[in-house]
Amino acid sequence: MARAIWTGVITFGLVSVPVGLFTAVGDHTVHFHQLQRGSADRVRNRRVNERTGEEVPAEDIVKGFEVAEGEYVVVEPDELDEIAPGRSQTIDISDFVDLGDVEPVYFDRTYYIAPGGKEYTKVYELLRAALAEAGKAGIATFVMRGKQYLTALRAEDNILVLQTLHWADEVRDPGQEIPELSSGRAGQGRERDMAIQLIDALDAPWDPARYHDTYQDKVRELVRAKAEGQEIAVAEKAPLASNVVDLMELLQGSLDQARGSREKEPTAPQQKRTTAKKAPPKATRASATTRGHGRGRGELRQLSKMELYQRATAQDIAGRSKMNRDEVIDALARAGGRNKSAA
């Protein structure tokens, strides 16, 4: 079982709830060690004295703030601990706001909050249920690992969730950061209407399980292929920028493609069986093979992801919506082999 990374109390009014803070997300990134080229020798970072080049022990390192060139104010670690706000380990709720009023740019990391013991579950559930009923988030501050955080405390099913927020002076003004912003005059007329239709055609319920980190899959595949001495697949090229002159044509093509993909998707098992019974004429089957349904993996890799999913839909490949690009290619290649055997 995971251990709390922080313990303390939540206070609102005169009520206090002992709690523990737990990490809500994990990192699935592939991590590498640093090696010297041509060898298996690890390369490590060391803290060295810039002037002498000698390594400095951790206990001899202090923090320094540069007040002038070459002049520093030295601050000891215990001095920072003494002035840290909230040394009492308290998540102090000062306001309750509508969560929808907090702009997404302010959100940072997510943590789960658990009661500090069985004897505190009643008051914990009281706070959770009250937040859920009111549809509010509690804005609070607390200190963890020498840093103060602004947070939003919100209710989910059976648990409280803490979102750390960026401070107001940390969020940059897009008007000052980005030279070319939309004037508001663009995005009107037929182009806008067709763009809205495209959005509607691609509308879907939020299901995070549908989305997959395909880049990390490719990194793992790269490592596996190199370990086995296999050939490394070439990545697909990035799409070119759309020509503004052909915008209407591109929007219409995208809309037709999206609608066609949705219309081909079976809505019930009975429809699948009905479709399977209707065997196309020989000429139609031959033309489908010519178009690439039975292509090998090399040719399939030349297709875009949208084209691959369209072929998977036409082949009625089960589970295609949860597959990544390489898995769709493998499934199409296998389906092509079965089609050739049947022919």
Side-chain angles (χ1 to χ4, degrees), residues 269-333:
Q270 184 176 1
Q271 287 180 304
K272 290 183 179 180
R273 291 194 296 269
T274 303
T275 304
K277 290 179 181 178
K278 293 182 179 179
K282 291 183 179 180
T284 305
R285 288 200 299 270
S287 62
T289 303
T290 304
R291 285 195 303 269
H293 289 303
R295 287 179 176 180
R297 285 181 173 82
E299 292 180 275
L300 289 170
R301 291 188 187 279
Q302 305 301 318
L303 302 177
S304 67
K305 190 173 182 180
M306 178 66 76
E307 290 172 328
L308 289 170
Y309 274 99
Q310 286 180 331
R311 296 188 186 284
T313 302
Q315 290 280 49
D316 196 18
I317 292 175
R320 58 190 174 276
S321 61
K322 295 183 180 180
M323 294 180 181
N324 59 38
R325 189 174 186 275
D326 290 336
E327 289 170 340
V328 174
I329 290 173
D330 290 340
L332 285 171

Side-chain angles (χ1 to χ4, degrees), residues 148-203:
Q148 186 177 33
Y149 293 89
L150 178 67
T151 67
L153 186 71
R154 59 183 177 84
E156 285 194 359
D157 294 339
N158 303 321
I159 197 168
L160 286 170
V161 174
L162 187 81
Q163 307 261 187
T164 59
L165 305 174
H166 295 292
W167 300 94
D169 60 353
E170 293 178 325
V171 177
R172 297 179 177 181
D173 182 359
Q176 297 179 2
E177 300 296 326
I178 302 174
E180 297 294 336
L181 288 177
S182 173
S183 63
R185 294 188 297 272
Q188 299 180 0
R190 293 180 59 198
E191 291 91 347
R192 182 193 60 183
D193 294 340
M194 193 164 292
I196 293 174
Q197 292 179 47
L198 178 57
I199 292 172
D200 291 339
L202 296 174
D203 181 72

Side-chain angles (χ1 to χ4, degrees), residues 19 33 51 62 96 118 175 241 273 315 319:
V19 295
H33 292 299
R51 179 177 57 82
V62 295
F96 291 95
K118 292 183 178 180
R273 291 194 296 269
Q315 290 280 49

Side-chain angles (χ1 to χ4, degrees), residues 33-95:
H33 292 299
Q34 295 184 97
L35 306 176
Q36 183 173 358
R37 188 185 300 277
S39 73
D41 298 338
R42 291 277 301 273
V43 177
R44 300 181 183 274
N45 295 323
R46 297 190 307 162
R47 295 180 174 90
V48 298
N49 185 308
E50 189 179 72
R51 179 177 57 82
T52 65
E54 297 178 356
E55 188 170 359
V56 181
E59 60 270 17
D60 290 341
I61 297 177
V62 295
K63 295 181 181 294
F65 183 85
E66 190 172 21
V67 293
E69 186 174 355
E71 295 183 16
Y72 295 88
V73 173
V74 176
V75 179
E76 298 287 345
D78 57 350
E79 292 177 315
L80 292 173
D81 293 337
E82 290 173 359
I83 65 166
R87 291 183 63 204
S88 59
Q89 300 287 287
T90 302
I91 299 176
D92 187 16
I93 299 177
S94 58
D95 304 288

Side-chain angles (χ1 to χ4, degrees), residues 79-142:
E79 292 177 315
L80 292 173
D81 293 337
E82 290 173 359
I83 65 166
R87 291 183 63 204
S88 59
Q89 300 287 287
T90 302
I91 299 176
D92 187 16
I93 299 177
S94 58
D95 304 288
F96 291 95
V97 303
D98 291 327
L99 191 60
D101 291 344
V102 183
E103 296 164 325
V105 69
Y106 283 92
F107 289 103
D108 189 10
R109 301 201 65 177
T110 305
Y111 298 90
Y112 294 137
I113 290 184
K118 292 183 178 180
E119 63 271 29
Y120 304 117
T121 55
K122 182 176 180 180
V123 64
Y124 173 93
E125 175 57 22
L126 172 66
L127 174 58
R128 191 208 65 79
L131 284 174
E133 180 70 22
K136 298 286 186 178
I139 303 300
T141 58
F142 84 111

Side-chain angles (χ1 to χ4, degrees), residues 8-47:
V9 295
I10 295 175
T11 63
F12 60 109
L14 300 178
V15 181
S16 297
V17 188
V19 295
L21 199 66
F22 295 81
T23 302
V25 296
D27 180 18
H28 66 205
T29 303
V30 178
H31 296 280
F32 295 93
H33 292 299
Q34 295 184 97
L35 306 176
Q36 183 173 358
R37 188 185 300 277
S39 73
D41 298 338
R42 291 277 301 273
V43 177
R44 300 181 183 274
N45 295 323
R46 297 190 307 162
R47 295 180 174 90

